[in-house]
């Protein structure tokens, strides 16, 4: 046996062993979670009737609240849209600064950590802080979305910029292109489709996530979700659910079409 | 003729990368006249690309004296764009903008000539458009002008890169390993094209290659580089097997076998 064969055999053995360890670890975690949360399967079985009654109260949906629910959904849409646009502006600046190929390590490394930290803070928490800072209404929602999604968007932008092959820009340098010309004719055509795709993806996430903003007073449809469910008006909640589902599916369809066109 | 304009004159040039001690370039003197066709040959790491980047004004941190096209180069500052536009550079790996069309890529060669602010909003002069169209015709890609370059073959891509360089209307045409990624037939076509275009425009031609036999047929002077130094500098017909052997570390018997 050559040394290469021996090494590849060793590697294979390590791979087999690590696969087994992953399986065992996942198994232990599941058992731990099950025991710790003290789930009573009997209760789930008994509650069948209650779930039926509960669903029954959602039917028929109360369509009288339709205008209100549509208004609320539109407000959510506007919050997500403005928040995303604000995040694009922030991310363009931070994305360029966080790109390994553009700035020295003492700038791009701390920035990447900062973006990771921003991503780690849940939106609902950011929204609560923003409500505290600027008061109730759509504004704190917009600010929360802008802040929260910049953590992801700026990272995506930085990665797109890092993916630009250095040679392509050197060629423009050699032709005597200015810095702005290099950006316009070199970097932009190379990364524009990626940026648009990433941004649409984030916009879709922002729409979904901003549905809950109203729970903490940061505007949009979430306010009505809370109101109808807490006051047991399930027929109204049913109308709301239908509108939200249609709304989210529509946005997804539009995104899908645009993304397909970008290929 | 006592006063043929020396287009390129390098003296006492030394360059090394910060992380390494070894000299990447160590050139006592190199002089090239207007209209000459010169090949730079040598093994990988012999300093060919570095030398060509220096002449193209894109190398910094060297010491010595370098005059190119009447300008004394600075080892610290980039040259003005007019000067850059006079020197065209064809890259080994094409260095095209992959998602742009053939026409857009060739037009990028005009960026140093055209009005900077107007170009940003998509306005180019008639002169620019004419130069681009002519360059695309010259490399035989008129039919593919509106294709995206990521749909082209390697040989076609390198012709786009040559056209971009021609659209610059360069006085010096540099081709750095222009055919090392191409099959032999495409390679010969690209070299034919590069030489014909340089001759038609009266441009000085500098080609680097690690295929000495191939490239020597296209030039009138061959400069051998080894470890950043000029090992020999002779007319193209006069390169001996021993000289080639010294560049690549072959034994002479080996060299004979290879040239057979």
């Amino acid at each position: 046996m050559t040394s290469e064969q021996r090494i590849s055999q060793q590697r294979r053995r390590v791979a087999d062993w690590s696969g087994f360890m992953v399986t065992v670890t996942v198994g232990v975690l599941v058992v731990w979670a099950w025991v710790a949360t003290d789930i009573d399967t009997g209760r789930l079985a008994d509650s069948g009737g209650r779930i039926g009654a509960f669903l029954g109260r959602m039917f028929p949906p109360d369509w009288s609240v339709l205008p209100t629910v549509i208004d609320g959904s539109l407000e959510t849409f506007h919050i997500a849209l403005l928040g995303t646009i604000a995040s694009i502006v922030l991310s363009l600046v931070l994305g360029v600064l966080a790109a390994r190929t553009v700035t020295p390590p003492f700038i791009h490394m701390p920035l990447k950590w900062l973006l990771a930290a921003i991503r780690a803070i849940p939106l609902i928490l950011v929204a609560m802080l923003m409500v505290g800072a600027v008061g109730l209404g759509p504004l704190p929602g917009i600010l929360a979305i802008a802040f929260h999604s910049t953590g992801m968007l700026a990272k995506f932008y930085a990665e797109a910029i890092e993916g630009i092959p250095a040679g392509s820009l050197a060629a423009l340098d050699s032709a005597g292109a200015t810095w702005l010309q290099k950006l316009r004719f070199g970097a932009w055509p190379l990364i524009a489709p990626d940026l648009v795709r990433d941004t649409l993806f984030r916009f879709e996430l922002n729409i979904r996530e901003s549905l809950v903003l109203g729970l903490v007073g940061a505007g949009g449809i979430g306010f009505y979700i809370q109101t109808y469910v807490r006051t047991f008006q399930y027929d109204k909640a049913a109308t709301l659910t239908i509108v939200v589902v249609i709304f989210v599916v529509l946005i997804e369809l539009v995104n899908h079409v645009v993304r397909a066109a970008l290929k | 003729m006592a006063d043929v304009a020396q287009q390129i004159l390098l003296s006492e040039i030394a360059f090394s990368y910060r992380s390494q001690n070894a000299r990447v370039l160590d050139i006592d003197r190199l002089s090239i006249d207007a209209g000459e066709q010169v090949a730079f040959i040598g093994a990988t790491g012999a300093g060919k690309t570095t030398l060509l980047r220096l002449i193209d004004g894109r190398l910094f941190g060297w010491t010595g004296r370098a005059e190119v096209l009447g300008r004394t180069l600075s080892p610290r500052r980039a040259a003005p764009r007019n000067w850059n536009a006079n020197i065209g550079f064809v890259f080994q790996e094409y260095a095209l903008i992959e998602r742009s069309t053939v026409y857009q890529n060739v037009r990028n060669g005009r960026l140093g000539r055209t009005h900077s602010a107007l170009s940003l909003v998509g306005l180019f002069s008639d002169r620019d458009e004419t130069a681009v169209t002519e360059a695309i015709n010259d490399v035989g890609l008129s039919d593919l002008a509106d294709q995206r370059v990521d749909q082209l073959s390697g040989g076609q891509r390198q012709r786009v890169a040559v056209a971009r360089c021609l659209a610059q209307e360069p006085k010096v045409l540099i081709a750095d390993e222009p055919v090392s990624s191409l099959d032999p037939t495409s390679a010969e076509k690209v070299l034919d094209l590069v030489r014909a275009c340089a001759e038609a425009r009266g441009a000085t031609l500098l080609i680097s290659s690690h295929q000495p036999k191939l490239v020597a047929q296209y030039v009138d002077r061959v400069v051998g580089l080894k470890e950043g130094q000029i090992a020999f500098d002779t007319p193209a017909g006069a390169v001996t097997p021993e000289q080639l052997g010294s560049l690549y570390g072959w034994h002479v018997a080996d060299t004979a076998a290879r040239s057979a």
Side-chain angles (χ1 to χ4, degrees):
Chain A
M1 200 172 3
T2 68
S3 63
E4 267 173 38
Q5 279 171 329
R6 203 170 304 130
I7 287 168
S8 78
Q9 201 174 45
Q10 273 170 1
R11 253 192 225 134
R12 215 171 298 133
R13 243 177 245 150
V14 169
D16 287 348
W17 186 77
S18 57
F20 173 71
M21 283 311 291
V22 169
T23 313
V24 168
T25 310
V26 171
V28 166
L29 284 175
V30 168
V31 170
W32 177 41
W34 186 265
V35 171
T37 49
D38 198 15
I39 293 175
D40 181 358
T41 38
R43 221 169 84 196
L44 191 61
D46 294 343
S47 65
R50 245 179 302 139
I51 289 175
F54 171 80
L55 287 176
R57 279 160 66 191
M58 291 182 87
F59 190 82
D62 178 356
W63 294 108
S64 68
V65 292
L66 192 61
T68 316
V69 167
I70 289 180
D71 272 356
S73 301
L74 281 178
E75 188 172 75
T76 292
F77 177 76
H78 295 147
I79 290 171
L81 184 71
L82 292 177
T84 306
I85 286 171
S87 174
I88 292 171
V89 175
L90 282 171
S91 299
L92 281 173
V93 177
L94 294 177
V96 170
L97 292 175
R100 184 170 21 86
T101 44
V102 180
T103 55
F106 73 88
I107 296 177
H108 75 246
M109 287 181 58
L111 253 180
K112 285 218 172 96
W113 296 332
L114 177 70
L115 294 175
I118 291 175
R119 282 197 299 279
I121 308 174
L123 177 67
I124 197 81
L125 188 57
V126 181
M128 288 163 92
L129 294 175
M130 290 294 175
V131 169
V134 301
L136 298 168
L139 181 64
I142 294 169
L143 294 177
I145 288 282
F147 177 83
H148 180 68
S149 53
T150 297
M152 181 194 281
L153 217 45
K155 178 183 182 240
F156 282 172
Y157 288 2
E159 282 171 358
I161 292 167
E162 285 167 359
I164 297 174
S168 307
L169 295 188
L172 301 195
D173 257 337
S174 169
T178 60
W179 193 82
L180 281 174
Q181 284 178 323
K182 278 201 289 178
L183 206 62
R184 166 72 183 78
F185 296 101
W188 181 248
L190 287 170
I191 64 174
D194 291 339
L195 298 195
V196 173
R197 211 167 15 234
D198 294 345
T199 307
L200 282 176
F201 172 63
R202 188 59 239 187
F203 177 58
E204 201 178 301
L205 286 182
N206 284 349
I207 293 264
R208 289 162 196 270
E209 293 194 12
S210 59
L211 292 172
V212 302
L213 286 173
L215 298 183
V216 295
I221 191 72
F223 172 73
Y224 300 100
I225 299 179
Q226 165 160 301
T227 308
Y228 296 156
V229 174
R230 291 250 171 101
T231 55
F232 308 109
Q233 306 180 61
Y234 292 120
D235 48 353
K236 288 178 182 166
T239 309
L240 187 148
T241 309
I242 292 166
V243 169
V244 165
V245 167
I246 292 173
F247 172 54
V248 170
V249 168
L250 270 181
I251 298 286
E252 268 188 43
L253 276 178
V254 171
N255 259 357
H256 182 76
V257 170
V258 175
R259 258 184 252 167
L262 281 173
K263 270 199 185 123
Chain B
M1 287 199 291
D3 225 47
V4 175
Q6 271 166 343
Q7 242 185 352
I8 300 168
L9 181 59
L10 309 181
S11 49
E12 312 277 316
I13 296 287
F15 175 76
S16 43
Y17 288 106
R18 228 175 289 162
S19 52
Q20 296 159 356
N21 288 324
R23 286 254 171 100
V24 181
L25 278 184
D26 187 1
I27 289 175
D28 287 341
R29 190 185 145 84
L30 175 70
S31 153
I32 295 169
D33 293 341
E36 269 197 279
Q37 300 176 331
V38 186
F40 294 90
I41 62 173
T44 307
K48 305 187 293 288
T49 299
T50 313
L51 175 61
L52 295 180
R53 273 177 61 198
L54 168 70
I55 296 172
D56 195 33
R58 289 185 296 113
L59 187 72
F60 302 99
W62 43 273
T63 59
R65 190 172 165 79
E67 278 177 52
V68 180
L69 289 177
R71 178 183 175 80
T72 305
L73 300 188
S74 157
R76 282 177 300 280
R77 272 191 310 280
R81 50 199 290 261
N82 294 340
W83 180 91
N84 268 321
N86 281 329
I87 303 183
F89 202 99
V90 177
F91 291 75
Q92 176 178 5
E93 297 295 342
Y94 329 129
L96 300 173
I97 307 299
E98 291 292 317
R99 278 162 163 165
S100 296
T101 64
V102 170
Y103 189 90
Q104 287 165 334
N105 267 286
V106 175
R107 197 180 56 191
N108 285 344
R110 296 299 297 174
L111 293 179
R113 300 265 185 220
T114 195
H115 190 289
S116 172
L118 289 180
S119 74
L120 292 177
V121 292
L123 293 176
F124 287 83
S125 70
D126 291 344
R127 174 100 194 269
D128 293 329
E129 307 283 358
T130 313
V132 173
T133 311
E134 276 176 10
I136 294 176
N137 282 338
D138 283 354
V139 301
L141 289 177
S142 313
D143 293 343
L144 300 175
D146 294 320
Q147 290 261 345
R148 265 167 56 155
V149 296
D150 53 6
Q151 293 164 348
L152 305 183
S153 71
Q156 288 170 330
R157 284 173 188 217
Q158 195 55 299
R159 274 149 67 196
V160 175
V162 170
R164 174 175 64 191
C165 174
L166 296 177
Q168 250 177 270
E169 301 179 275
K171 296 196 170 89
V172 177
L173 199 166
I174 301 176
D176 181 24
E177 302 267 6
V179 298
S180 61
S181 322
L182 302 180
D183 63 84
T185 319
S186 307
E188 282 177 24
K189 276 188 194 156
V190 166
L191 287 172
D192 275 333
L193 182 69
V194 166
R195 186 177 60 176
C197 291
E199 272 173 1
R201 289 164 168 76
T204 308
L205 176 64
L206 312 180
I207 302 183
S208 79
S209 178
H210 54 233
Q211 294 159 273
K213 293 255 148 30
L214 176 65
V215 66
Q217 302 163 23
Y218 293 87
V219 294
D220 37 46
R221 177 176 164 194
V222 174
V223 175
L225 287 174
K226 188 177 189 188
E227 289 164 10
Q229 298 184 330
I230 294 181
F232 59 85
D233 184 349
T234 58
V239 184
T240 65
E242 286 76 14
Q243 282 176 328
L244 287 184
S246 75
L247 287 190
Y248 295 94
W250 301 335
H251 298 294
V252 176
D254 224 19
T255 315
R258 275 170 204 252
S259 47

